[in-house]
Amino acid sequence: MHHTRFCFVLLSLCSIWSAGCGNSSSSSAPTTATGEKKIRICMLPKIKGISYFSSCYEGAKRAAAELPNVELIYDGPIDGDPKKQAEMIERWIVDKVDVICVAPSAPDVVANAMKDARAAGIHVITWDADGAVDSRQLFINQATPASIGKGMVAVMVDNVGGPDVTGDVVIVSSDPTSANQNAWIDVMKPALEATKLKLVTIKYPGENASNALADAQDVIKKYPNLKGIFGISSVSFPGAAEAVEQSGKGGQIMVTGLSTPTPMKRFIDSGTVKSIVLWNTLDLGYLTVRVAEGLATGKLKPSDSECDAGSLGSKPIVDGHVLLGDILVFTKDNIDQYNF
């Protein structure tokens, strides 16, 4: 009996602590101007505070501003730790929010928490990176792995001087468990085999800028016939570009990959980078909130074939993926048009 009472008190204290220590959520739901309960949508990035996810957040805020029945809660770890992502999901379950939108750093680590949220009646979707299929209802897919992977290879072939150029290339990824990076690599490998460029290694520095720089410096020393480096995360791409600049081989070793345009602009201006592959991150955040609101209100079912995406129009849903669109390529000619 004493043990049971102790557990009850402990659980109550934990609940109070959790609600009180949340960065941006509370257990009391806000209401609209007409007194109706607002839909609380939690948006969980891989890393909070870096330009890529901050620009997604800007788009999400735009959607929330258009929807008077929505309260948007944005929070995430600042170090990319998936265990902290799982802890945040568990906290939001206690807060009884309506929708949790997750960009999983490691799908296996957060899957149980996402399943717990669904079991508690909370809608769960993934965005930016997919999770375990049975842990979410829909994935907001920024572009297909085929378009991203083939797009990066096509850009590299063009940057090094055309399809007849031979030489080595390397990929600097993030974590070996990153689902989206691995999906792109699966496309890049056969695409590279169809060219005269040879993929000699893949590096996994994690979401760590210093490690990305060190890995790029290592491959520059190790492969004398290196023609290009793919940096396929918003952390590894600037790290690889910085390594090439420090080596004095800008223009000899080309660097391309995935990043937002603003932090890469100085590398475009210096000529170290000719092309940046990405998608419209503002639209990705906007679409995520639109889909979340649709699920919470019942206007959208996971089995639907398309969804109303507000100012983006109608977006198709294929095999549980809400498809945003195609890639964007930023170059010296258009980079000043984008401010994120």
Side-chain angles (χ1 to χ4, degrees):
M1 177 64 76
H2 290 304
H3 176 72
T4 302
R5 288 187 61 187
F6 173 78
C7 289
F8 174 80
V9 171
L10 181 61
L11 286 170
S12 299
L13 288 172
C14 286
S15 178
I16 292 168
W17 176 87
S18 178
C21 292
N23 289 335
S24 53
S25 65
S26 68
S27 57
S28 58
T31 57
T32 65
T34 59
E36 298 174 351
K37 175 180 171 294
K38 279 193 173 185
I39 297 165
R40 289 191 292 174
I41 298 175
C42 297
M43 197 168 182
L44 177 59
K46 286 182 178 177
I47 308 173
K48 183 181 178 182
I50 64 173
S51 62
Y52 172 80
F53 285 108
S54 295
S55 63
C56 294
Y57 180 37
E58 289 302 313
K61 287 192 291 185
R62 179 162 58 88
E66 294 175 358
L67 298 166
N69 61 334
V70 164
E71 180 196 15
L72 177 63
I73 300 164
Y74 180 83
D75 203 358
I78 59 173
D79 57 3
D81 185 349
K83 292 180 181 177
K84 293 178 182 175
Q85 286 191 312
E87 291 170 1
M88 288 182 175
I89 294 169
E90 289 164 358
R91 190 180 74 215
W92 286 331
I93 295 172
V94 174
D95 288 347
K96 298 178 181 178
V97 302
D98 299 288
V99 191
I100 299 177
C101 314
V102 188
S105 292
D108 291 344
V109 177
V110 295
N112 286 339
M114 292 166 66
K115 291 175 184 176
D116 288 345
R118 292 192 66 184
I122 297 170
H123 296 283
V124 178
I125 61 177
T126 50
W127 62 285
D128 181 67
D130 201 5
V133 172
D134 59 350
S135 68
R136 53 75 171 163
Q137 293 165 282
L138 290 168
F139 169 42
I140 315 304
N141 194 339
Q142 59 271 39
T144 65
S147 64
I148 296 169
K150 290 179 181 177
M152 284 194 286
V153 172
V155 162
M156 180 62 82
V157 169
D158 180 70
N159 286 178
V160 299
D164 294 329
V165 174
T166 62
D168 298 334
V169 294
V170 303
I171 296 173
V172 183
S173 182
S174 55
D175 294 296
T177 56
S178 296
N180 48 358
Q181 271 87 359
N182 289 339
W184 303 330
I185 290 170
D186 287 343
V187 174
M188 294 171 72
K189 285 179 177 177
L192 281 167
E193 288 174 358
T195 73
K196 295 183 178 180
L197 298 173
K198 180 183 179 183
L199 177 62
V200 290
T201 191
I202 301 172
K203 293 284 190 178
Y204 296 98
E207 297 287 358
N208 183 295
S210 297
N211 290 347
L213 173 63
D215 279 349
Q217 289 172 327
D218 177 61
V219 297
I220 290 169
K221 294 176 183 174
K222 188 172 183 179
Y223 300 102
N225 196 30
L226 189 64
K227 285 290 190 295
I229 302 176
F230 295 96
I232 64 172
S233 84
S234 59
V235 174
S236 63
F237 191 5
E242 182 65 36
V244 170
E245 281 207 343
Q246 289 183 9
S247 71
K249 294 185 177 181
Q252 300 175 46
I253 300 174
M254 299 311 304
V255 191
T256 190
L258 297 160
S259 183
T260 48
T262 298
M264 299 303 296
K265 186 176 183 306
R266 74 176 181 90
F267 297 110
I268 288 275
D269 290 341
S270 69
T272 302
V273 173
K274 290 185 178 179
S275 308
I276 303 164
V277 177
L278 199 63
W279 44 87
N280 193 319
T281 53
L282 297 170
D283 287 350
L284 176 61
Y286 180 91
L287 179 59
T288 299
V289 170
R290 278 284 177 175
V291 170
E293 191 266 351
L295 284 174
T297 58
K299 292 182 292 189
L300 174 65
K301 306 294 184 188
S303 58
D304 288 346
S305 60
E306 61 181 15
C307 68
D308 175 10
S311 64
L312 300 180
S314 178
K315 292 295 179 182
I317 303 175
V318 180
D319 296 331
H321 291 208
V322 183
L323 301 175
L324 174 63
D326 208 350
I327 60 172
L328 280 176
V329 178
F330 306 104
T331 66
K332 193 172 184 177
D333 294 332
N334 69 359
I335 195 168
D336 289 332
Q337 300 172 26
Y338 299 92
N339 183 29
F340 62 92

